Amino acid sequence: MAADLRFKVVDEAFKRGPVEVKTPKERPSEYFGKYVFDKQKMFKYLPIDVYHKMCDVIDHGAPFDRAIADAVAQGIKTWALEMGVTHYTHWFQPLTDGTAEKHDGFVEHNGKGGMVEEFEGKLLIQQEPDASSFPSGGLRSTFEARGYSAWDPTSPVFIIGDTLMIPTIFIAYTGEALDYKVPLKKSLYAIDKAATAVAQLFNPDVKKVITNLGWEQEYFLVDEALYAARPDLVLTGRTLMGHDSAKNQQMDDHYFGSIPARVEEFMKDIEIQALELGIPVKTRHNEVAPNQFELAPIYEEANLAVDHNMLMMSIMKRVARKHHFRCLLHEKPFKGINGSGKHNNWSLATDTGILLHAPGKTPEDNLRFVTFIVETLKGVYNHNGLLKASIISATNAHRLGANEAPPAIISAFLGKTVTELLEHVENADDNALNMAGKQAYKIDLPSLPELLIDNTDRNRTSPFAFTGNRFEFRAVGSEANCACALLSLNTAVAQALTQFKQRVDTLTQQGIEPTAAILKAVREDIKYIKPLIFNGNGYGEAWKQEAAQRGLDCETSAPRMFDRYLTDNTIRMFEEMNVLTHAELLARNEIKWETYTKKIQIESRIFGDLCLNHIIPVVTKYQSMLIDNVHKVMEIFTQEKARNISKENINIIEQISEHEAFIIENVERMIEARKTSNRIDNERDKAIAYHDTVAPLLEEIRYHVDKLETIVDDEAWPLPKYRELLFIR
């Protein structure tokens, strides 16, 4: 890109004002769910008996009766046509971390030469996408293309534009899951079954356990003109080169700061659209890094929450363009400042209360709390390597381990109060289960109210932290599908709870009183999970050494981490809990390795192109200008005086030559490393080769490019710089 174009797009970006958003006259509570076929609309458009059957499916997991499909489809069609809808689509989540949809019209021949709007139950229930055209890990090939999408009645249909969106699962003709929703729903069923059985040890009236999820979505905004002038951002989602801005986040003035006017209008717009689609967004604020922001909804049932997060990311990208922004969901768009995560606040609740809530009213309630805390941690400890594999990717690897995000080691933070509680229970302290509630803290100013202090602090360096009535799984990447991490966590906890119940049953059969049996099993598990509990600084080098001594998984290579999906322990867990088969795990790993390779491959290609076709020509031209200046000085002045005058320019010429030589030589090395890796047939070995030989060169070469950025005349540099990209006017 020519330097004059850079200044033109920077000037254009800085002159933009906010795009005015038309705010609905109603209160949010009045237009919430406007475009969702929720229970209120079901009651209006469905026959009453069909309505009750649908409620039973949604609320209690009853089997869906295909006999009511036509009646449901008719009701949905009537509502959709009233809303101006002309098309419908099955909306699903293939193994791409995105969503997919194929739109069909509500039209059929009427037999009289005309058309009629038609939408039958069979069209609502299933469609047939081409399964060979989505990642399948070898489960489907080009000549075995059949696959099915099938309606998920527990996630309501909704409208975007003129299209009815039907949330669905996606499976192969042979039955294997080709998406995230199928195993997620199976994991939710597994944890419901296991947790309900344990909860009934304390309260026989418990009928169901629901997994709740509250995701916090971090993201960056960049002006679209600046975005278009950065080929690396366009093609990879992150800047592959760029020197630090003199000012970035070191003043801590962006976090929770005043939201820029342009951004606030964008936020209003996405919130209105989200609320109309039934997404209960509640929080918005500036994040730590410049141009970084966050939104978060109220907690929801996990399956619905995942659907809403996928929909929200789509809304954010679409609305950003309306406001002349581009929304960046890459975990690390800019080097040297905070990356973006998606904190998953995970909790379990029954039809009688929250299982992870403490303190309870009685020691029995607190024993229930301790039991579910400990068994959750046991599941995490047993499969800490798997949980790390579930959140790692080529993009999230840039964020994890930096001093802004959890380290690539899974540990759990409980805080002083809960940690001491477990110690007292382990040591059979008679008063262990008499927990205190929130303590009051009076500020020494008469006009201010007392503060209620929680039983646990927060630890931003912990990937899995207990924060009151939930665990915060902080390591999930900002552009990831939450389901990938969630299904592994659910399944691990379901297995731990299942085994716990079996042990308690065995003890009671041996004549041990039920409460004593629970305490005995819990105390054994408290001792077992101790290596997982860490309340200190997860960023410190000392922790890495200590974690290794504790036996925690400390692997940092993403392709090697994926191996954790195929250990005997992992395969056995997923098959016992009926979540994923061995064949499905093999297929998913093939996809993970292949995706990793492709992302590094794309980055390497665009990086090489930028170096050789954008940076080197500009640098060479600038260097030639300096050389010409030195020659002219030599012609005018005496040799000694000319040498003194040109000393600095000669020094710059030498620096440029060194950086240029390194870049050119190592871009060639990178290309050869890529070619060598591409000849490897095994996807795992290829991904490891890309990790070990190609990815490191990206960083090594970048160092020299970034140095050149500080040397070359600002007017000559072709790409928008960090100081221009990172501050919205």
Side-chain angles (χ1 to χ4, degrees), residues 216-421:
E216 303 169 27
Q217 181 70 59
E218 295 176 341
Y219 61 96
F220 281 83
L221 291 176
V222 175
D223 188 274
E224 65 178 358
L226 298 172
Y227 172 88
R230 291 287 310 221
D232 48 355
L233 267 181
V234 173
L235 296 179
T236 72
R238 75 179 182 109
T239 52
L240 299 174
M241 55 184 65
H243 196 276
D244 290 348
S245 172
K247 180 184 184 298
N248 47 57
Q249 65 188 47
Q250 68 266 48
M251 298 300 295
D252 299 322
D253 56 349
H254 190 258
Y255 189 52
F256 280 19
S258 178
I259 300 171
R262 283 184 65 195
V263 176
E264 188 168 10
E265 291 304 300
F266 161 77
M267 289 177 167
K268 288 179 183 177
D269 206 344
I270 60 173
E271 285 177 0
I272 291 168
Q273 296 196 34
L275 290 167
E276 288 178 335
L277 287 166
I279 306 173
V281 288
K282 182 178 179 68
T283 302
R284 66 185 184 206
H285 63 83
N286 288 5
E287 255 299 332
V288 173
N291 277 21
Q292 189 185 32
F293 308 95
E294 180 180 295
L295 64 85
I298 302 169
Y299 283 68
E300 297 182 285
E301 184 275 327
N303 178 52
L304 182 59
V306 168
D307 281 2
H308 278 168
N309 181 246
M310 299 303 293
L311 179 56
M312 191 74 227
M313 289 192 288
S314 177
I315 294 171
M316 291 163 67
K317 291 178 181 178
R318 185 177 68 249
V319 174
R321 300 189 70 168
K322 171 184 171 183
H323 291 260
H324 306 294
F325 287 125
R326 288 303 179 102
C327 179
L328 305 181
L329 295 175
H330 192 290
E331 283 80 3
K332 194 74 168 178
F334 304 100
K335 187 177 181 180
I337 61 174
N338 277 21
S340 296
K342 178 150 50 195
H343 305 162
N344 278 220
N345 294 280
W346 176 93
S347 188
L348 299 175
T350 71
D351 44 357
T352 62
I354 300 173
L355 291 174
L356 300 180
H357 181 69
K361 295 180 180 179
T362 66
E364 289 74 18
D365 286 341
N366 290 331
L367 178 56
R368 181 216 66 225
F369 164 76
V370 168
T371 298
F372 277 92
I373 288 287
V374 170
E375 296 313 310
T376 296
L377 294 177
K378 186 177 180 184
V380 173
Y381 179 49
N382 281 339
H383 299 282
N384 71 96
L386 170 66
L387 290 182
K388 184 167 64 173
S390 75
I391 54 88
I392 198 64
S393 65
T395 54
N396 204 22
H398 293 287
R399 166 179 165 262
L400 296 179
N403 286 346
E404 73 206 44
I409 301 169
I410 299 297
S411 64
F413 168 83
L414 298 180
K416 180 180 177 182
T417 302
V418 179
T419 300
E420 290 180 350
L421 168 64

Side-chain angles (χ1 to χ4, degrees), residues 407-513:
I409 301 169
I410 299 297
S411 64
F413 168 83
L414 298 180
K416 180 180 177 182
T417 302
V418 179
T419 300
E420 290 180 350
L421 168 64
L422 298 191
E423 290 173 354
H424 290 317
V425 172
E426 178 190 356
N427 296 325
D429 186 335
D430 291 339
N431 294 316
L433 296 172
N434 293 315
M435 291 180 65
K438 291 186 177 182
Q439 304 300 307
Y441 179 79
K442 188 171 179 62
I443 300 173
D444 195 18
L445 289 170
S447 61
L448 298 183
E450 288 184 337
L451 297 179
L452 294 178
I453 307 302
D454 287 285
N455 278 323
T456 176
D457 201 349
R458 288 181 179 267
N459 187 331
R460 293 180 61 84
T461 73
S462 175
F464 196 75
F466 183 68
T467 57
N469 58 6
R470 63 194 182 277
F471 280 98
E472 186 177 15
F473 196 2
R474 296 177 52 84
V476 181
S478 56
E479 69 176 354
N481 187 321
C482 300
C484 186
L486 207 60
L487 70 91
S488 293
L489 174 60
N490 291 344
T491 310
V493 175
Q495 184 191 49
L497 288 167
T498 299
Q499 293 172 347
F500 176 82
K501 177 64 164 54
Q502 292 169 347
R503 287 160 56 211
V504 170
D505 287 347
T506 299
L507 290 170
T508 55
Q509 288 167 8
Q510 294 171 354
I512 298 176
E513 188 267 332

